[in-house]
């Protein structure tokens, strides 16, 4: 057998970079202050997202902006985010490849169209759960409307094709706390399995900072990324990615290399283990 040695090749093949967005590439001013991020002087901040009133909401540090610029020039950047189709429009960054949205329930092609094969697959998984999701929605709506709850409840809904027509389906349920009381969300997460029959069989709960999500098992970033890797991405091209959340780790583990920012949920989890 002949052993070959590495030779530099001027013909660069761009790797795939599969990237979580919020708290990985940008974050709110509140988190910038909490994490004491470097290169975040007011004059160097770059606006990355706006709120519903079109006001600046999240920012990139100078280092993050440089990193993002390098990713755009050197990789095929694929978005992998919990943001839905309306929320992603408030991200003011240029994306020109695949987008995995709504925790993996939605895949958009490079021209912004829904990937129909994935949409039909997700329809088959979500349609049987609509009664239970509606039941949970009613319970959470009444609970969030009580004066002392401080919960802000949002169902995430999108249109899915069942093979012959489009149908609006609830994908997952999101809850925030008006006073950003993380412990209140943790306590609620522990109570959720008692609300409806066979909760754990159909759903899982993810809590990160001031976000609680109730998701069907079929809705996961990992499932969507695996579908892309197997059916649409070039197997010869390397892949790497970054994410800040425990919910990102399963999709990251499908890639050739992966990492995390030095702040956020994943970092805190492993920092506490290494120091324990």
């Amino acid at each position: 057998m002949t052993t070959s040695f590495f030779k530099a090749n001027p013909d660069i093949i761009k790797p795939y970079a599969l990237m979580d967005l919020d708290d990985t590439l940008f974050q709110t001013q509140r988190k910038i202050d909490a994490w004491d991020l470097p290169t975040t002087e007011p004059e160097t901040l770059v606006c990355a997202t706006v709120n519903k009133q079109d006001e600046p909401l999240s920012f990139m540090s100078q280092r993050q902006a440089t990193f993002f610029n390098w990713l755009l020039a050197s990789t095929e950047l694929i978005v992998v985010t919990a943001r839905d189709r309306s929320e992603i429009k408030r991200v003011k960054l240029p994306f020109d490849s695949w987008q995995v949205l709504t925790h993996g329930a939605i895949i958009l092609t490079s021209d912004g169209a829904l990937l129909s094969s994935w949409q039909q697959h997700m329809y088959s998984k979500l349609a049987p759960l609509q009664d239970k999701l509606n039941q949970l929605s009613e319970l959470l709506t009444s609970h969030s409307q009580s004066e002392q709850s401080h919960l802000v409840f949002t169902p995430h809904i999108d249109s899915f094709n069942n093979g012959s027509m489009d149908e609006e389906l609830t994908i997952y349920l999101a809850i925030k706390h008006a006073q950003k009381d993380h412990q209140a969300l943790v306590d609620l997460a522990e109570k959720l399995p008692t609300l409806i029959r066979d909760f754990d069989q159909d759903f899982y709960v993810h809590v990160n900072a001031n976000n609680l999500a109730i998701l069907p098992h079929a809705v996961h970033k990992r499932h969507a990324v695996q579908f892309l890797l197997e059916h649409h991405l070039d197997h010869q091209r390397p892949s790497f990615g970054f994410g800040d959340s425990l919910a990102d780790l399963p999709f990251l583990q499908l890639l050739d290399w992966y990492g995390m920012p030095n702040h956020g949920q994943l970092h805190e989890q492993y920092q506490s283990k290494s120091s324990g």
Side-chain angles (χ1 to χ4, degrees):
M1 187 178 78
T2 304
T3 303
S4 62
F5 294 92
F6 176 79
K7 293 180 181 177
N9 186 340
D11 299 322
I12 300 297
I13 298 173
K14 287 186 175 182
Y16 297 111
L18 288 89
M19 304 296 296
D20 173 58
L21 297 180
D22 293 81
D23 299 339
T24 297
L25 291 178
F26 51 76
Q27 56 285 307
T28 61
Q29 183 67 56
R30 183 175 65 87
K31 290 181 178 177
I32 287 172
D33 296 339
W35 291 328
D36 193 24
L37 296 185
T39 66
T40 54
E41 296 77 17
E43 64 274 12
T44 66
L45 285 179
V46 177
C47 180
T49 79
V50 295
N51 62 18
K52 291 177 181 178
Q53 291 73 44
D54 216 29
E55 302 161 336
L57 179 63
S58 297
F59 305 90
M60 289 192 287
S61 70
Q62 197 60 56
R63 286 187 192 174
Q64 287 172 325
T66 299
F67 179 49
F68 183 71
N69 196 57
W70 173 79
L71 288 169
L72 285 180
S74 307
T75 73
E76 181 171 344
L77 177 63
I78 298 174
V79 170
V80 185
T81 179
R83 285 177 176 258
D84 63 24
R85 282 202 284 167
S86 63
E87 292 166 340
I88 196 67
K89 291 175 182 174
R90 297 199 290 273
V91 178
K92 301 304 181 181
L93 299 175
F95 302 126
D96 59 6
S97 184
W98 300 94
Q99 296 183 45
V100 174
L101 307 178
T102 325
H103 286 282
I106 303 288
I107 299 177
L108 299 183
T109 64
S110 58
D111 59 3
L114 289 164
L115 181 60
S116 59
S117 55
W118 184 249
Q119 293 308 106
Q120 290 183 34
H121 166 74
M122 288 308 304
Y123 177 88
S124 71
K125 299 293 186 181
L126 289 172
L129 293 175
Q130 292 305 293
D131 286 346
K132 285 190 174 181
L133 282 164
N134 291 336
Q135 186 183 346
L136 275 170
S137 293
E138 290 171 7
L139 287 167
L140 292 169
T141 298
S142 64
H143 186 61
S144 64
Q145 287 172 346
S146 67
E147 289 182 12
Q148 67 275 18
S149 82
H150 303 296
L151 297 178
V152 181
F153 165 65
T154 308
H156 286 258
I157 297 166
D158 211 319
S159 179
F160 291 83
N161 190 281
N162 62 13
S164 60
M165 60 179 287
D166 288 342
E167 188 176 334
E168 296 274 304
L169 296 181
T170 300
I171 300 170
Y172 80 99
L173 311 176
I175 303 168
K176 292 178 180 285
H177 194 278
Q179 270 75 50
K180 296 181 171 54
D181 185 343
H182 175 71
Q183 190 56 48
L185 293 181
V186 172
D187 293 344
L188 176 61
E190 291 177 358
K191 294 176 188 171
L192 286 171
T194 66
L195 293 182
I196 63 167
R197 185 170 50 86
D198 298 329
F199 180 92
D200 291 332
Q201 178 182 307
D202 297 314
F203 304 102
Y204 68 101
V205 178
H206 173 59
V207 183
N208 185 13
N210 193 40
N211 297 288
L212 183 155
I214 304 169
L215 300 121
H217 289 299
V219 177
H220 204 295
K221 290 178 179 180
R222 179 184 174 92
H223 302 327
V225 168
Q226 189 160 21
F227 187 84
L228 279 182
L229 288 169
E230 291 177 358
H231 299 286
H232 293 280
L233 303 188
D234 182 351
H235 293 190
Q236 301 302 314
R237 291 169 63 180
S239 63
F240 71 93
F242 288 88
D244 74 289
S245 163
L246 289 170
D248 293 322
L249 190 57
F251 97 76
L252 293 172
Q253 290 174 329
L254 296 171
L255 310 177
D256 297 311
W257 298 272
Y258 65 89
M260 67 187 95
N262 66 350
H263 53 263
Q265 190 182 46
L266 258 180
H267 175 72
E268 290 167 7
Q269 176 89 354
Y270 285 100
Q271 190 178 43
S272 63
K273 283 185 178 179
S274 62
S275 61

